[in-house]
Amino acid sequence: MIKGNYHTHSYWCKHAVGTFEDYIRAAEEAGFEELAITDHCPHRYSWCWLHENEVAEFDEELNRAIAAHKDKIRLFKGFECEYIKEEMEYYKYLKEELGYTFLILGQHCAGEHGEVNCFDMKNGYEMRKYADSVCAGLETGEFMLLAHPDVVFTKYPVLWDADCDKAFAQIFKTCEKLKIPVEINTNGLRGDRGYPSRECMTFSKDYDLKYLIGSDCHDPRHMHDEWENRAVSWAKEIGIAVEELYPWKDRLQNG
Ligand SMILES: [Zn+2]
Ligand SMILES: [Zn+2]
């Protein structure tokens, strides 16, 4: 049984619905013990989501929601971040000054200047750039979880090839070494987006990894819907057991 969710959005990202309150309540109703709010973090190449100048207001609203619920559920403040070298100082500021301790790595754009769109990967060269960005991000030690490692299969022209072998050996070896759990992304299944990828997750079994189901909910009704069970079964079919809660307790700090 899944007892926590560590990938949660809100209306602030401008492509989701529901307030922090709505998501926290949905998690309580699901009987979850832990919830991390991890909306898209502002960065210099972001397309349309939360802006840096909205963070103060965002933070106030989140703090209020947490204060009202913290006796009922363990809540973490976080963000879903892109690894962009120049933004690491900003992410550290959010972590250290504002308590956004649960940073997850979700690479939607890769390359030095975010020039590779991970939803529209065209070739092995881009796949290798993606692996480099993800691994450089993980190596900073700032991230708790690797969100949808297989997001690149949204439009990649084949299911798997030699470039994928190379890229994902690099990624999963790094997750193994740094003990970063890998997400099975329910939102991908829910939207039939090409991820989670059976080929990719089967390949990941060669490494000693821990897996978490990530609802990646953009609607509070998706916090704990039937797709959660489907994601657990999907993983089971390929021989992956998922964790009920974040596996490395010593790394968790309340937001
Ligand atoms: Zn989103
Ligand atoms: Zn994402």
Side-chain angles (χ1 to χ4, degrees):
M1 213 182 93
I2 301 303
K3 294 184 181 166
N5 182 47
Y6 309 92
H7 193 165
T8 313
H9 295 278
S10 78
Y11 79 94
W12 280 95
C13 73
K14 304 174 182 72
H15 60 267
V17 294
T19 62
F20 300 132
E21 270 287 326
D22 297 333
Y23 286 93
I24 294 170
R25 247 189 248 123
E28 287 171 357
E29 278 160 25
F32 287 173
E33 293 172 17
E34 294 179 350
L35 176 72
I37 302 286
T38 48
D39 218 340
H40 298 281
C41 192
H43 64 83
R44 65 195 63 198
Y45 308 118
S46 54
W47 300 298
C48 58
W49 45 54
L50 180 69
H51 291 286
E52 209 173 312
N53 60 14
E54 297 171 309
V55 167
E57 207 187 323
F58 173 100
D59 188 47
E60 250 173 60
E61 200 170 301
L62 183 52
N63 288 339
R64 267 201 306 275
I66 289 178
H69 289 265
K70 66 175 185 336
D71 299 333
K72 286 171 259 172
I73 183 167
R74 191 167 186 205
L75 297 163
F76 305 102
K77 285 165 69 171
F79 273 114
E80 179 182 18
C81 304
E82 314 280 329
Y83 171 69
I84 294 164
K85 196 171 169 217
E86 298 77 13
E87 297 294 2
M88 288 313 297
E89 281 306 309
Y90 181 57
Y91 300 163
K92 271 191 213 163
Y93 156 80
L94 293 171
K95 199 172 190 172
E96 286 158 20
E97 303 297 322
L98 300 182
Y100 286 81
T101 56
F102 210 103
L103 301 182
I104 69 174
L105 183 66
Q107 204 73 31
H108 308 88
C109 62
E112 298 272 290
H113 310 288
E115 68 275 15
V116 176
N117 177 354
C118 299
F119 295 111
D120 189 23
M121 301 288 283
K122 294 183 184 66
N123 51 50
Y125 172 74
E126 292 189 340
M127 192 59 91
R128 290 196 302 273
K129 285 230 158 197
Y130 171 71
D132 287 343
S133 288
V134 167
C135 292
L138 296 175
E139 292 283 357
T140 65
E142 300 293 340
F143 300 104
M144 300 284 287
L145 165 70
L146 177 58
H148 50 56
D150 41 7
V151 68
V152 285
F153 293 98
T154 306
K155 280 203 186 151
Y156 196 61
V158 292
L159 290 176
W160 194 260
D161 62 14
D163 290 307
C164 298
D165 265 329
K166 219 169 146 191
F168 281 92
Q170 188 186 341
I171 290 172
F172 292 136
K173 207 193 287 173
T174 306
C175 290
E176 181 185 72
K177 178 180 81 176
L178 300 172
K179 292 192 161 53
I180 309 281
V182 168
E183 180 190 66
I184 309 274
N185 187 282
T186 308
N187 205 39
L189 274 185
R190 195 181 280 126
D192 193 17
R193 293 159 179 246
Y195 65 92
S197 149
R198 197 170 291 271
E199 287 72 16
C200 186
M201 288 299 165
T202 303
F203 182 83
S204 78
K205 288 167 57 189
D206 288 347
Y207 301 84
D208 182 17
L209 300 172
K210 302 257 192 223
Y211 299 85
L212 283 165
I213 298 287
S215 168
D216 191 4
C217 38
H218 286 71
D219 183 323
R221 290 171 299 182
H222 294 161
M223 176 65 67
H224 173 64
D225 58 4
E226 77 273 19
W227 289 96
E228 182 187 286
N229 281 333
R230 291 199 209 180
V232 174
S233 317
W234 184 93
K236 203 172 168 190
E237 267 171 43
I238 55 176
I240 287 174
V242 298
E243 303 291 318
E244 291 183 335
L245 285 167
Y246 193 84
W248 287 292
K249 298 284 159 222
D250 54 322
R251 231 187 270 168
L252 294 173
Q253 301 167 47
N254 280 332

